[in-house]
Amino acid sequence: MKRPTIADVARRAGVSKGAVSYALNGQPGVSDATRRRILAIAAEIGFRPSSAARALSGATAKAVGLALCRPARILGIEPFFMELISGVEAELSARSYALTLQVVSDQEAEIAVYRRWWAERRVDGVLVCDLRTDDRRVPALEELQLPAVVIGGPGHTGGLASVWADDAAALVETVEYLVALGHRRIARVGGLPSLLHTEIRTEAFTGVCRRLGLDEATTVWSDYTGEEGARATRRLLSSAGRPTAVIYDNDVMAIAGLSVAQEMGLTVPADLSIVAWDDSPLCRLVHPPLTALGRDIPAYGAHAARQLLAVIAGEPAAVVQDETAHLTPRGSTAPPRTTSY
């Protein structure tokens, strides 16, 4: 897909490149009618003024883009993304690169951002988060030939480079640990069901529970917020077959679940064991401190940034498996008060 140039605009408008420059930069030298025609042609073919100077100089933007399809209020309270971004920033700053961050409303808006960044040469490459099974961003980025690294997988990344961790193995380890403690009624509060990593965790949870004969295992969906995590917990703890252990897909929901259990008069961990995904300082500050699945998230972000810089430099796209999250038992898990054996 050829990037439009100032010469393309000039040729279609039947004017000189100087006239195009005047029109696009709001300078005198062209009539109002000519200016309007030039602006309309530039918009039609996707040309942006800033691309011209960079194209002539051959300079790179020295920036990497990250568009996140999450409400800004969630990003502000979810430690995972803050730690991921800190790792990305640390790697980029060491190479004199900047990070361009934008919050978008949906995938179509995110693809539009990629096209604008590409046309204006705002970034040299992008990091892609929250992969979906049939992700429209992957073919869009392949069409643009914009260097990209997907943080997620495995699979569903087309020809793009990726960095991923084995969430299925971590989930299986957690369920086996809870069963070893004596739990038979285990529930999970999952994240957004449209995300690939949520689907992978759900399939792993269903599979290991079936293998271990846990007929009452169930997953309910949430959106990673404390409010939805609390609502999901109330539904689970008010049900006839109340679980004795709950696994949460992030730390914010797990802390909300701990609060709900306490407000309902349940003792953690005697009446309810709680496990949080993505260990964070928050997990260690509450009482009791939460058993959690943790990994070095800043290092995860740094690895993704390092791989993207390699792709930008012309190295072939690679699929890299990163560290698997490991379980750290703390005060929120213990054998149930009475087992169901």
Side-chain angles (χ1 to χ4, degrees):
M1 187 174 180
K2 183 177 177 292
R3 190 188 305 275
T5 67
I6 194 170
D8 295 327
V9 179
R11 184 169 53 254
R12 293 190 57 165
V15 298
S16 68
K17 290 190 289 186
V20 173
S21 179
Y22 293 149
L24 295 176
N25 291 296
Q27 296 176 344
V30 294
S31 67
D32 289 340
T34 299
R35 188 186 310 277
R36 287 193 296 272
R37 187 170 78 256
I38 290 171
L39 291 174
I41 291 171
E44 179 185 346
I45 67 174
F47 175 79
R48 299 293 186 277
S50 59
S51 66
R54 293 193 180 105
L56 290 172
S57 66
T60 59
K62 299 293 286 185
V64 162
L66 175 60
L68 292 174
C69 187
R70 293 285 185 91
R73 64 185 180 86
I74 295 178
L75 292 178
I77 63 172
E78 194 168 16
F80 173 82
F81 275 112
M82 295 301 99
E83 293 186 35
L84 183 76
I85 290 170
S86 73
V88 170
E89 282 276 24
E91 186 67 25
L92 293 180
S93 62
R95 312 284 190 92
S96 299
Y97 265 75
L99 177 65
T100 299
L101 176 65
Q102 184 157 343
V103 176
V104 295
S105 57
D106 53 39
Q107 277 203 356
E108 292 305 319
E110 187 170 339
I111 292 171
V113 166
Y114 293 149
R115 294 189 185 281
R116 175 167 56 82
W117 282 346
W118 172 85
E120 297 176 0
R121 292 199 177 183
R122 293 285 187 89
V123 300
D124 298 319
V126 296
L127 295 168
V128 181
C129 292
D130 287 341
L131 186 67
R132 289 158 171 80
T133 52
D134 188 17
D135 203 305
R136 296 190 302 277
R137 297 170 298 174
V138 171
L141 286 167
E142 289 178 321
E143 178 190 5
L144 290 174
Q145 296 184 355
L146 180 62
V149 168
V150 177
I151 302 176
H156 306 279
T157 58
L160 302 182
S162 66
V163 178
W164 65 281
D166 193 345
D167 282 4
L171 200 289
V172 169
E173 178 191 0
T174 302
V175 174
E176 289 177 340
Y177 163 72
L178 292 172
V179 170
L181 288 177
H183 294 277
R184 302 294 295 175
R185 297 196 303 274
I186 302 173
R188 172 171 161 264
V189 177
L192 298 169
S194 60
L195 301 182
L196 176 63
H197 71 261
T198 304
E199 181 177 312
I200 289 172
R201 294 178 187 183
T202 301
E203 290 179 357
F205 180 72
T206 302
V208 69
C209 289
R210 184 183 300 115
R211 173 168 61 84
L212 296 175
L214 307 181
D215 299 329
E216 298 181 70
T218 184
T219 294
V220 294
W221 310 112
S222 189
D223 64 358
Y224 300 108
T225 64
E227 293 84 356
E228 286 301 312
R231 290 190 186 97
T233 304
R234 287 191 187 94
R235 290 197 300 271
L236 287 170
L237 299 185
S238 300
S239 62
R242 175 172 63 82
T244 61
V246 180
I247 304 168
Y248 292 84
D249 264 18
N250 76 350
D251 50 352
V252 173
M253 294 193 297
I255 292 168
L258 172 63
S259 178
V260 167
Q262 291 170 340
E263 81 180 26
M264 295 180 69
L266 299 178
T267 301
V268 175
D271 297 317
L272 180 70
S273 284
I274 290 176
V275 179
W277 202 295
D278 287 324
D279 198 2
S280 72
L282 294 178
C283 294
R284 298 185 288 275
L285 290 175
V286 296
H287 181 75
L290 298 182
T291 294
L293 283 157
R295 58 187 170 185
D296 190 339
I297 298 172
Y300 193 42
H303 296 163
R306 194 176 307 134
Q307 189 174 354
L308 178 57
L309 293 175
V311 175
I312 291 170
E315 296 184 21
V319 176
V320 177
Q321 182 175 354
D322 208 87
E323 174 192 12
T324 301
H326 57 273
L327 188 68
T328 300
R330 298 196 183 98
S332 68
T333 49
R337 197 182 296 273
T338 56
T339 66
S340 300
Y341 287 117

